[in-house]
């Protein structure tokens, strides 16, 4: 040891220490002279706007969810508590005990035992963990979305994912309106200038939730009775282009979207392209009538078979279900006669026929506010797929594919004296303070028919409802025009057309003298009866009858009353939230609307009419983020 502490070694040691000290001081001085970095701040939170129906009834609202996590390191230190914890927590979280044991046996330091529990579940579990002193349990609050009506209009409303981005429907297409994205430059400007954070706007859809619910009940009944694979219903206000009801079945529960089958997530009226069948005949007759190819008094002989031999020697043969004899164009539609319609198609050239079909919007997206819309398919006479019989088969609704939205938009031309309307799902958009940001106004497209042509086709459709294939849709006291259709569906396995799969449909316009509503229903792959006039026309009648009553459309047999024009409305007591839950019994949906803006509670409204029951009971102390369930009848 004495040999180590020689003068030379000691000097070297202290020189080394001095160098290290100088290096540390230099490094510290360098860091000290650097400018102070900005303190990290949380990004401004944008509250997502709500989706409501045209009256303000909530369809998709912002809420909070919670992830439940466990710090396993702390739990292991209290090993004796593990089984007790499993027994206490498994039931309120609806977790299998064995699955929970497996999660808790992980080698990780932290695990989530359940994600996205509701506010109510969170409150119940938190009471248990606090009372039992389970301080190894933590909760992560995340913004989420709740859909009070589950599957109602699910394909229209769409779904928001865990990342706060819309994944389908209006939630997807209107993402920037519902939750505007804030750039880094905007964040800096907001912080520096003390500006308000831009918030998501509320979207008022064009649908009426109450009407939607009633029509969905009818459709579910039809699906059950016919054992159909899918069904579509679109009801449109023909004066504004706003869709009042939009149904595609089967449909997904938006509160359990992730585990819903794929077929329930398909937006059938917008995404599905199909051959429309005989309903398309109203457009064929309208086009040829508009070009003066036919007149109301023209006669065509139906002998059960359309047959034509071309100069090339090729023969075209298209059969008809009946021998209808001599028919006017109106009779051709009334009986849905293939022979007559094929003869009518001979009165127009291939090129002009297809051009006018495209003018009606077929072969192009309608441009509604939904993602994934199909363009359908309209053949071009110059294409290789065009054959000698293409014009005739397109005239009767084959060799052309359309969407339900395209069919409805084309029909708006007949309801508006020859001018089609742009369809829309948005009634208006409001800012958070309730001020109007956007309000829909009718958007008219280029005229495609004269008023005379539109009136003629409406009269043909009225005759079809009174004494034709659509007689089962006749309303008696409201003049209605209809056209039914039945189309063989493509056999995707063997090619050609299936002998068992059919698409049954019906189009209605009413009241016929002043069209206000266009109603279109499609049933795909029904079992048993398949003719549109037999299975869909009665549904059109039932649905149209309901719409007439719901919207208060005048009926022919309605009594006429004189009134001064002055209506006295008794005031409704405003609901005031104090420290306890009030009694909501007897309150209407309109009475409840102001409470939806209250940030301290979450209101779930089920049904329509007046409140008949509630949970929790009146007098229950109000807690933060309390969920109040109200049932209306």
């Amino acid at each position: 040891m004495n040999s180590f502490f020689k003068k030379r070694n000691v000097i070297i040691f202290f020189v080394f220490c001095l160098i290290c000290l100088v290096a540390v001081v230099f490094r510290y001085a360098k860091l000290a002279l650097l400018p102070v970095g900005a303190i990290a701040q949380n990004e401004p939170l944008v509250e997502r706007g709500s989706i409501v129906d045209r009256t303000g009834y909530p369809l998709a609202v912002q809420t909070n969810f919670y992830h439940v996590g466990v710090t396993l390191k702390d739990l292991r230190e209290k090993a004796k508590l593990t089984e007790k914890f499993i027994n206490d927590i498994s039931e309120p979280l609806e977790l299998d005990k064995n699955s929970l044991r497996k999660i808790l046996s992980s080698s990780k330091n932290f695990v989530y035992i359940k994600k996205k529990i509701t506010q109510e579940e969170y409150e119940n579990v938190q009471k248990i963990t606090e009372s039992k002193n389970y301080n190894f349990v933590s909760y992560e609050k995340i913004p989420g979305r709740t859909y009070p009506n589950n599957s109602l209009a699910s394909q229209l409303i769409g779904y928001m994912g865990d990342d706060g981005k819309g994944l389908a429907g209006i939630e997807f297409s209107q993402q920037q309106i519902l939750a505007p994205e804030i750039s880094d430059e905007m964040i800096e400007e907001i912080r520096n200038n003390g500006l308000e954070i831009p918030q998501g706007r509320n979207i008022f859809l064009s649908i009426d939730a109450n009407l939607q619910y009633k029509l969905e009940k009818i459709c579910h009944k039809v699906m059950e009775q016919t054992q159909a694979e899918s069904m579509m219903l679109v009801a449109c206000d023909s004066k504004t282009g706003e869709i009042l009801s939009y149904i595609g079945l089967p449909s997904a529960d938006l509160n359990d979207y992730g585990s819903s089958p794929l077929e329930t997530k398909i937006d059938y009226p917008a995404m599905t392209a199909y051959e429309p069948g005989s309903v398309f005949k109203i457009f064929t007759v309208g086009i040829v009538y508009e070009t003066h190819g036919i007149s109301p008094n023209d006669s065509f002989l139906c002998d059960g078979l359309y047959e034509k031999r071309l100069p090339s020697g090729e023969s075209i043969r298209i059969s008809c279900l009946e021998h209808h004899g001599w028919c006017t164009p109106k009779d051709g539609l009334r009986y849905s006669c293939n022979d007559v319609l094929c003869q009518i198609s001979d009165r127009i050239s291939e090129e002009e026929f297809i051009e006018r079909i495209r003018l009606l919007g077929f072969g192009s997206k309608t441009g509604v506010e939904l993602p994934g819309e199909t363009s359908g398919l309209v053949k071009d006479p110059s294409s290789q797929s065009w054959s000698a019989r293409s014009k005739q088969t397109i005239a009767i609704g084959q060799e052309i594919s359309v969407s339900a939205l395209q069919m409805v938009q084309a029909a708006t031309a007949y309801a508006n004296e020859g001018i089609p309307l742009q369809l829309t799902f948005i009634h208006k958009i409001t800012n958070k303070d309730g001020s109007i940001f956007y309000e829909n106004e009718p958007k008219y497209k280029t005229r495609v028919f004269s008023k005379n042509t539109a009136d003629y086709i409406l009269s043909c459709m009225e005759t079809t409802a009174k004494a034709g294939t659509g007689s089962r849709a006749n309303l008696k006291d409201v003049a209605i025009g209809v056209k039914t259709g039945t189309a063989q569906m493509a056999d995707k396995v063997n090619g050609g057309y299936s002998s068992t799969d059919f698409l049954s449909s019906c189009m209605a316009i009413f009241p016929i003298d002043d069209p206000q509503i266009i109603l279109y229903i499609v049933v795909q792959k029904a079992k048993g009866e398949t003719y549109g006039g037999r299975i869909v026309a009665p549904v059109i009648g039932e649905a149209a009858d309901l719409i007439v009553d719901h919207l208060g459309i005048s009926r022919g047999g309605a009594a006429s009353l004189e009134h001064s024009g002055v209506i006295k409305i008794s005031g409704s007591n405003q609901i005031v939230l104090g420290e306890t839950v009030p009694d909501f019994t007897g309150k209407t949906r309109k009475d409840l609307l102001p409470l939806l803006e209250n940030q301290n509670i979450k209101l779930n409204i089920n049904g329509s009419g007046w409140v008949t029951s509630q949970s929790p009971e009146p007098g229950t102390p109000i807690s933060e983020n309390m969920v109040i369930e109200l049932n209306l009848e």
Side-chain angles (χ1 to χ4, degrees):
M1 290 293 292
N2 290 336
S3 64
F4 175 78
F5 290 104
K6 291 180 180 180
K7 186 177 181 180
R8 179 173 173 274
N9 291 345
V10 171
I11 291 172
I12 292 172
F13 174 74
F14 279 109
V15 169
F16 177 75
C17 290
L18 182 62
I19 292 171
C20 291
L21 181 62
V22 170
V24 170
V25 171
F26 176 77
R27 178 67 177 162
Y28 177 80
K30 183 179 178 181
L31 292 172
L33 291 173
L34 288 175
V36 178
I39 298 173
Q41 301 181 44
N42 292 328
E43 289 192 7
L45 282 177
V46 175
E47 184 180 344
R48 192 176 184 87
S50 296
I51 299 175
V52 299
D53 84 338
R54 65 188 301 113
T55 68
Y57 185 83
L59 300 173
V61 293
Q62 190 76 355
T63 189
N64 293 319
F65 290 112
Y66 297 84
H67 294 340
V68 185
V70 172
T71 305
L72 294 179
K73 180 183 175 183
D74 295 342
L75 177 60
R76 291 186 194 111
E77 292 175 358
K78 304 175 182 179
K80 293 180 181 179
L81 288 178
T82 302
E83 278 303 314
K84 190 173 184 305
F85 172 68
I86 290 172
N87 290 330
D88 288 339
I89 215 77
S90 58
E91 187 176 341
L93 282 180
E94 297 181 354
L95 291 171
D96 177 70
K97 290 183 180 180
N98 289 330
S99 300
L100 186 52
R101 284 191 191 95
K102 188 175 180 180
I103 295 172
L104 297 177
S105 65
S106 171
S107 59
K108 298 178 181 178
N109 286 327
F110 178 86
V111 292
Y112 286 111
I113 58 175
K114 190 168 185 180
K115 290 187 174 183
K116 286 192 73 175
I117 66 170
T118 64
Q119 180 73 33
E120 186 177 4
E121 289 173 318
Y122 160 71
E123 290 175 358
N124 292 335
V125 174
Q126 189 189 39
K127 286 178 184 177
I128 296 172
T129 56
E130 285 184 355
S131 65
K132 302 284 185 177
N133 197 27
Y134 292 150
N135 53 15
F136 45 80
V137 179
S138 60
Y139 304 93
E140 181 183 345
K141 184 178 179 180
I142 59 169
R145 204 71 157 161
T146 186
Y147 302 94
N149 304 285
N150 300 319
S151 63
L152 187 81
S154 64
Q155 291 152 2
L156 169 59
I157 297 166
Y159 177 74
M160 188 192 82
D162 292 343
D163 62 352
K165 300 292 179 75
L167 299 179
I170 293 294
E171 291 275 36
F172 175 83
S173 68
Q174 304 301 304
Q175 170 70 24
Q176 194 59 24
I177 295 290
L178 291 165
E181 191 173 341
I182 305 177
S183 65
D184 293 339
E185 292 78 10
M186 288 178 64
I187 292 173
E188 194 66 29
E189 190 176 345
I190 289 169
R191 287 173 178 158
N192 293 340
N193 300 320
L195 301 176
E196 288 188 10
I197 302 166
Q199 297 298 316
R201 295 185 171 92
N202 299 319
I203 294 179
F204 285 69
L205 295 181
S206 58
I207 67 167
D208 182 316
N210 196 11
L211 178 62
Q212 177 84 12
Y213 172 75
K214 293 174 182 177
L215 291 175
E216 281 196 16
K217 278 186 71 175
I218 291 175
C219 290
H220 280 292
K221 182 178 67 175
V222 173
M223 287 281 285
E224 185 179 346
Q225 291 173 344
T226 64
Q227 296 297 297
E229 185 176 284
S230 64
M231 183 173 179
M232 297 177 266
L233 182 151
V234 180
C236 168
D237 183 332
S238 62
K239 301 290 188 184
T240 65
E242 294 185 359
I243 305 295
L244 300 178
S245 183
Y246 187 77
I247 300 171
L249 297 180
S251 57
D253 182 345
L254 294 178
N255 292 308
D256 192 23
Y257 192 80
S259 59
S260 298
L262 178 61
E263 61 268 20
T264 65
K265 301 176 184 178
I266 300 171
D267 183 357
Y268 290 96
M271 294 180 174
T272 306
Y274 56 89
E275 292 187 353
S278 295
V279 173
F280 194 78
K281 292 172 180 176
I282 59 174
F283 302 116
T284 298
V285 174
I287 287 170
V288 181
Y289 188 90
E290 178 69 15
T291 58
H292 308 292
I294 56 173
S295 67
N297 297 322
D298 285 349
S299 288
F300 302 88
L301 177 62
C302 168
D303 57 6
L305 178 69
Y306 171 83
E307 191 169 15
K308 184 177 183 181
R309 185 173 295 277
L310 303 176
S312 62
E314 187 178 356
S315 181
I316 304 171
R317 295 169 61 88
I318 298 175
S319 61
C320 190
L321 292 175
E322 301 286 345
H323 290 67
H324 295 113
W326 288 100
C327 296
T328 62
K330 181 177 288 189
D331 293 329
L333 287 178
R334 180 159 67 105
Y335 299 128
S336 198
C337 178
N338 287 344
D339 192 351
V340 168
L341 263 292
C342 289
Q343 292 180 60
I344 287 175
S345 72
D346 287 335
R347 303 284 184 93
I348 190 171
S349 69
E350 295 174 342
E351 290 75 15
E352 186 170 14
F353 186 44
I354 294 302
E355 181 186 349
R356 288 184 174 270
I357 285 175
R358 292 187 185 278
L359 281 175
L360 280 167
F362 296 108
S364 304
K365 297 179 181 180
T366 64
V368 293
E369 306 87 355
L370 283 176
E373 186 185 3
T374 181
S375 299
L377 180 64
V378 177
K379 289 183 177 182
D380 194 282
S382 62
S383 67
Q384 290 185 346
S385 60
W386 187 272
S387 69
R389 58 179 286 146
S390 290
K391 184 175 66 169
Q392 288 79 14
T393 52
I394 290 173
I396 60 175
Q398 296 176 351
E399 284 195 52
I400 181 173
S401 66
V402 304
S403 71
L405 287 174
Q406 287 175 334
M407 291 291 285
V408 171
Q409 182 159 279
T412 62
Y414 290 137
N416 288 284
E417 300 183 347
I419 306 173
L421 266 174
Q422 171 63 51
L423 300 183
T424 182
F425 288 104
I426 296 181
H427 178 56
K428 66 179 178 179
I429 299 173
T430 64
N431 298 309
K432 278 295 176 183
D433 61 4
S435 59
I436 301 293
F437 173 75
Y438 164 83
E439 193 160 14
N440 179 60
E441 292 183 1
K443 298 176 182 63
Y444 294 94
K445 293 176 173 286
T446 304
R447 177 180 288 278
V448 291
F449 296 122
S450 65
K451 182 180 183 301
N452 181 50
T453 299
D455 289 343
Y456 176 67
I457 297 301
L458 289 177
S459 71
C460 292
M461 293 178 71
E462 184 178 20
T463 300
T464 303
K466 288 180 176 178
T469 59
S471 59
R472 299 187 184 194
N474 198 9
L475 295 183
K476 308 300 182 185
D477 57 354
V478 176
I480 185 172
V482 301
K483 181 67 191 81
T484 61
T486 308
Q488 282 181 288
M489 299 184 70
D491 187 334
K492 296 180 180 179
V493 178
N494 304 311
Y497 287 99
S498 169
S499 60
T500 57
D501 297 337
F502 291 85
L503 183 142
S504 313
S505 61
C506 188
M507 175 79 75
I509 301 177
F510 59 94
I512 209 72
D513 53 343
D514 181 23
Q516 297 179 43
I517 301 295
I518 296 170
L519 177 62
Y520 182 52
I521 298 178
V522 179
V523 177
Q524 296 192 74
K525 296 186 181 181
K527 304 293 187 296
E529 182 61 73
T530 57
Y531 285 113
R534 294 175 185 169
I535 69 169
V536 186
V539 184
I540 283 281
E542 183 180 1
D545 201 50
L546 190 154
I547 292 171
V548 167
D549 285 342
H550 185 85
L551 299 181
I553 296 173
S554 176
R555 290 183 178 272
S560 178
L561 299 174
E562 289 188 3
H563 197 277
S564 65
V566 178
I567 302 174
K568 293 183 179 180
I569 303 175
S570 57
S572 172
N573 293 329
Q574 186 176 0
I575 302 173
V576 179
L577 285 180
E579 296 181 352
T580 61
V581 176
D583 186 355
F584 292 97
T585 305
K587 298 296 182 182
T588 66
R589 185 174 61 183
K590 184 176 286 188
D591 296 333
L592 302 171
L593 290 179
L595 297 181
L596 295 175
E597 300 298 325
N598 194 305
Q599 301 297 316
N600 295 324
I601 64 165
K602 176 190 163 191
L603 215 59
N604 282 348
I605 304 173
N606 305 314
S608 60
W610 293 266
V611 177
T612 57
S613 62
Q614 68 181 75
S615 177
E617 295 295 322
T620 304
I622 292 179
S623 59
E624 186 179 359
N625 294 321
M626 171 181 273
V627 178
I628 300 177
E629 196 88 19
L630 301 176
N631 299 309
L632 282 66
E633 291 182 9

